[in-house]
Amino acid sequence: MASDSPGPNAHPVRIEEQFSRQAKIFAEAPELHGEAALALLVEAAKPRSTDETLDVACGPGSVVVAMARHARHSIGLDATAAMLVEAQRLARAQAMPNVEWRQGDVYALPFDSDRFDIVTCRFAFHHFERPAAALQEMVRVCKREGCIVVCDAIASDSPRKAEAFNRMERLRDPSTVEFRPLEALLALFAGAGLPSPERRFFQVPAEREQMVKRSFPAGADYDGLRRVIDTSVDDDSMGLGARRCGDTVLFRYPSVILSTTKAG
Ligand SMILES: C[S@@+](CC[C@H](N)C(=O)[O-])C[C@H]1O[C@@H](n2cnc3c(N)ncnc32)[C@H](O)[C@@H]1O
């Protein structure tokens, strides 16, 4: 019988569609893949030369390559083949011999339990429908005394602003499930039985036209996306500190790196 409700695979299909289109342009964003942004994650994970690291939902692989400069071996896993093509290109360009790429799903990592010294995930939890299950899988494949790092943008503590931010993001990228406030991310760590994580806060700068150019909004509604960003200036309705600058709008994504140790 025909049904209008989304099937069980609707979300993975949205992920594949969005990130196949975004892969090349996402890989070129300097504010995400530049040295300064990557150094923050490396500082949180503290890779050593004997470590094996895993980055889940690795996208174009910049985190994996940054970790591999310090580690023995680094694996990146992602659901989207086009992202892994970008990752392979990056590893070739930087002549990194100690990296490996796997296509797969964060909810069923194709690795033995207690294998990796460090397991990271950056800017992907907002795409997960089951973030607790994703974190549990990361913990499973991490060694005892190993390091777990989750980095994502965070929504405002104001439910009204958080909802407005998420509405804009779902328009901009329909594979977004939800950006969560800090407390919700911390609750995931507690729920996974992990010690309270260290927190490092930073901001990812954004400019309206650059962002629109990199986006594939629902219904190709580029003007709608511009409008939502523009109107957020008046009362900071999304909690992104949007401000007019000439004929564009500047804003920033408040973000956090949470790092902790799996109990021994
Ligand atoms: C915004 S990108 C972030 C990429 C990368 N972590 C970074 O920071 O540059 C999100 C990535 O999550 C991946 N992804 C989403 N859901 C996934 C899942 N269930 N399993 C594996 N990868 C997934 C997408 O394919 C995409 O490459």
Side-chain angles (χ1 to χ4, degrees), residues 200-218:
R200 288 172 171 79
F201 294 94
F202 66 108
Q203 302 192 336
V204 179
E207 184 271 322
R208 185 191 61 203
E209 286 313 303
Q210 273 294 328
M211 199 187 77
V212 168
K213 205 165 77 188
R214 278 198 219 134
S215 303
F216 300 90

Side-chain angles (χ1 to χ4, degrees), residues 45-58:
K46 301 182 184 62
R48 299 160 302 185
S49 58
T50 51
D51 284 347
E52 185 177 39
T53 73
L54 171 68
D55 186 46
V56 302
C58 68

Side-chain angles (χ1 to χ4, degrees), residues 99-115:
V99 295
E100 186 183 327
W101 310 105
R102 299 284 288 266
Q103 189 169 9
D105 187 355
V106 69
Y107 301 116
L109 295 173
F111 306 111
D112 289 341
S113 299
D114 304 317
R115 167 167 170 178

